[in-house]
Amino acid sequence: MEPFGALADPVRRALLQRLARGPARVVDLTAEHDISRPAISRHLRVLGEAGLVAAEDVGRERHYRLVAEGLHPVRAWLDQVTVVAGPRVPEHVLDALDLEVRRTGRDRAQTSPSHRHTQETG
Amino acid sequence: MEPFGALADPVRRALLQRLARGPARVVDLTAEHDISRPAISRHLRVLGEAGLVAAEDVGRERHYRLVAEGLHPVRAWLDQVTVVAGPRVPEHVLDALDLEVRRTGRDRAQTSPSHRHTQETG
DNA sequence: TCTATTAGTAACAAAGTAGTTACCAATGTG
DNA sequence: CACATTGGTAACTACTTTGTTACTAATAGA
């Protein structure tokens, strides 16, 4: 859940996009985001807890960089959902599935499978 | 933008996963989600506004189904970020990039950075 | 050493989110 | 027709999120 929640905020997505092009300091990231530095700082903390960014201390500066692997759960979820949904099922096939699911739902409610009248499928 | 926010909630993600396996009614979706039907109903509304699900009225029932294309912006964003971040850049290369960016950040206040670092690592 | 820069934390206010119960409308079914 | 089923909306509450300003700590540099 962590990475999904982290991606919900547009500022955090912009930060990740920026970091995808290379590491940056907090002041640099703040410079182009009409919000205060503490706000950016907290966004970075959220991203860090989600495993999407990592920081390295360089003197008094802190260099944040993208951790692309942190996005893996998101990609995996996306793949799972879209693959199971099937590769471009035509509309009329979805309709057929639709009727099927309705019948199943009713059967489950009263647990009597002898009640089927399969006159819709051809 | 919208779809990202919709995916932030675990209940909504579960609903999408469920609908990926076929359409379902609201009562069916509610049956396996220890929250009330109005809550599910509102989640479905959010998903609908995000373009991730669609509904079809069948008598007094409403059949929701996944709209997989609605996830396309998410996948596109993921692709963009991970592609730009590069395919598995080794740690020492990231360090090099790190130093490069730090110097550039300082230069930006004075001179114009008219160079680029586009090195492939295979 | 004194001062500027960088960055995190604390405390707070405004807004959004997610759940609840109560209610209403529409559609099947005995 | 009477009644159950299905599903959306309204009103409300509790919690979370996101921004702010003020403060503190550590490092760089004249």
Side-chain angles (χ1 to χ4, degrees), chain B residues 85-104:
Chain B
R88 284 267 171 225
V89 183
E91 199 80 14
H92 60 278
V93 177
L94 275 179
D95 280 346
L97 271 173
D98 197 60
L99 291 170
E100 194 65 21
V101 160
R102 182 174 56 168
R103 191 181 59 70
T104 308

Side-chain angles (χ1 to χ4, degrees), chain B residues 31-106:
Chain B
E32 48 189 47
H33 276 290
D34 294 345
I35 62 180
S36 66
R37 185 184 49 71
I40 295 288
S41 194
R42 199 160 54 180
H43 279 306
L44 288 169
R45 187 176 67 191
V46 171
L47 289 171
E49 287 169 352
L52 298 178
V53 304
E56 184 199 4
D57 286 338
V58 180
R60 67 181 161 183
E61 303 173 354
R62 176 164 288 192
H63 292 203
Y64 281 91
R65 67 168 216 274
L66 177 71
V67 177
E69 304 84 64
L71 291 170
H72 205 249
V74 179
R75 183 174 294 279
W77 187 89
L78 262 189
D79 288 345
Q80 195 225 320
V81 165
T82 50
V83 163
V84 173
R88 284 267 171 225
V89 183
E91 199 80 14
H92 60 278
V93 177
L94 275 179
D95 280 346
L97 271 173
D98 197 60
L99 291 170
E100 194 65 21
V101 160
R102 182 174 56 168
R103 191 181 59 70
T104 308
R106 282 172 177 159

